[in-house]
Amino acid sequence: MTGFWRYFWMLYMLFFAVPFPMIIYYASTYGKESPDTAPWLALSWLALSVVLWALVLGRLARRWIVQPFIVKKNFARLAKAGVRKAGRILESKMLKTSSGGAEARKITFSFTNFAGTPITEDMELTDTQPALRRYENGKTITLLVDDTLRSIPVICLEDMKIGVKISRMLWLGITWCIITAAVIYYYQFSYLSENGGAGWRFLRFYHPLVLCPLILLAEIFFFTKLLRFIGGKPSDLLRTKYYGIRTDAEIVSANQTGTYINEQPQIRFELRFQDSSGRTHTATLKKVISLLDLGITKQSSIPVFYQKDHPEKIAFASDLED
């Protein structure tokens, strides 16, 4: 899924998780129903609401505030225990130059994975010494790779220095505090405007205090499953890329499954290939194909990666090289 569609669907689902339930609630039931929910049930809805909002805010805190420090810790571990590999820069693109002369770059480089297969990766970095021209096309670099593939990142440059952007962390922290304050204020607003002298007995399942965080968590779960449905399980794809062997697979059949994502059809491929030992394997793979790329279903063969110990786990080479 491209960056544009990822953000589009995130905003789309956010609208239906927060503003939409509020619009429906205040346009239809607000002020028209007496607070007559049974006390035990109202307190149950209140407790459920608090737990759901805590899960939502906790997930945001982990992603925005805690995760950068986890990544920094993982970099430090990778610097000590990472497997060294030689790489070659295929493309180097300057993104911007800071006032201090440092250059933000995006590089594409190649190296051999743990099965001896050449693969490529992209990386964004800040070159604090551009005069040395260390990251130009054709330059050799030393990489550190996590052979367990258990944490992010799994690869970095040997001489890379990692830091946490204080300004970005500050803005994310302020944003999280604003969201948390808004949730607390909404509890207060709802209570003062709806209690009618009966406490929390105005709470119902469809009240935004309960429904909004429930929909948010459900959408997070759905969105995660959707990404896996489109592109496969990230951990499997990563292992296939870093431990996989490349070969050409014969396309035995390619048929539509009847599922469409953004009006793009999902295709079920049946593939046949020989492993490095000469044994023949048959595997199936589902992939959402752009209408402009449907011609690949007519090809006789297509490059794939397969895991030596689990040859049924395969991936299209194009999906691992994007």
Side-chain angles (χ1 to χ4, degrees), residues 19-296:
F20 187 71
M22 290 184 173
I23 293 172
I24 297 299
Y25 178 78
Y26 289 109
S28 58
T29 64
Y30 180 62
K32 300 177 183 179
E33 295 180 339
S34 58
D36 56 359
T37 303
W40 68 269
L41 184 57
L43 291 178
S44 298
W45 290 134
L46 177 61
L48 177 63
S49 171
V50 172
V51 171
L52 292 175
W53 277 117
L55 290 174
V56 171
L57 294 173
R59 186 179 180 90
L60 287 178
R62 177 176 176 81
R63 186 182 183 95
W64 291 354
I65 302 172
V66 179
Q67 188 66 26
F69 293 99
I70 294 177
V71 171
K72 184 178 180 181
K73 180 180 178 181
N74 290 340
F75 265 112
R77 181 188 58 79
L78 188 57
K80 293 181 179 180
V83 178
R84 283 175 171 78
K85 284 186 171 290
R88 180 174 297 275
I89 297 177
L90 303 177
E91 183 180 0
S92 180
K93 180 180 180 181
M94 187 173 69
L95 303 177
K96 62 180 179 179
T97 303
S98 68
S99 57
E103 295 179 350
R105 285 187 171 272
K106 179 179 180 180
I107 62 174
T108 301
F109 53 91
S110 66
F111 63 102
T112 57
N113 67 10
F114 294 109
T117 302
I119 59 175
T120 61
E121 281 284 9
D122 294 328
M123 182 183 297
E124 291 188 9
L125 53 85
T126 299
D127 186 3
T128 56
Q129 297 178 301
L132 299 180
R133 308 175 77 173
R134 295 173 294 175
Y135 305 115
E136 291 189 343
N137 294 358
K139 291 286 186 176
T140 299
I141 53 178
T142 302
L143 306 166
L144 295 173
V145 187
D146 178 12
D147 57 348
T148 67
L149 306 179
R150 292 179 180 175
S151 57
I152 299 298
V154 299
I155 186 170
C156 72
L157 300 181
E158 184 179 39
D159 57 351
M160 181 176 285
K161 306 296 182 182
I162 303 301
V164 176
K165 288 187 177 180
I166 302 300
S167 59
R168 183 174 183 273
M169 292 295 300
L170 181 62
W171 279 113
L172 289 175
I174 291 174
T175 302
W176 184 87
C177 289
I178 291 174
I179 295 174
T180 302
V183 171
I184 295 173
Y185 170 78
Y186 187 53
Y187 273 97
Q188 182 182 26
F189 168 80
S190 298
Y191 183 82
L192 294 177
S193 61
E194 297 183 63
N195 77 85
W200 292 97
R201 295 182 63 185
F202 63 89
L203 281 179
R204 294 173 174 83
F205 173 76
Y206 51 83
H207 193 284
L209 278 174
V210 181
L211 197 57
C212 288
L214 181 62
I215 295 176
L216 278 171
L217 292 173
E219 288 184 343
I220 291 172
F221 175 81
F222 169 79
F223 193 62
T224 302
K225 291 295 184 181
L226 177 64
L227 292 179
R228 291 183 178 181
F229 177 78
I230 294 173
K233 190 176 180 181
S235 58
D236 285 343
L237 289 176
L238 195 62
R239 179 157 292 276
T240 302
K241 180 171 186 176
Y242 278 78
Y243 281 90
I245 300 174
R246 180 171 176 146
T247 188
D248 286 331
E250 176 191 357
I251 299 179
V252 179
S253 64
N255 302 300
Q256 293 190 26
T257 64
T259 299
Y260 289 81
I261 303 296
N262 294 331
E263 299 183 353
Q264 312 294 333
Q266 185 190 58
I267 307 296
R268 180 182 182 275
F269 291 86
E270 182 178 355
L271 306 171
R272 182 185 297 125
F273 62 93
Q274 284 189 339
D275 63 18
S276 56
S277 301
R279 290 173 295 184
T280 301
H281 301 273
T282 300
T284 59
L285 190 63
K286 295 179 181 179
K287 177 178 173 62
V288 176
I289 303 292
S290 167
L291 294 175
L292 299 177
D293 297 330
L294 283 178
I296 68 172

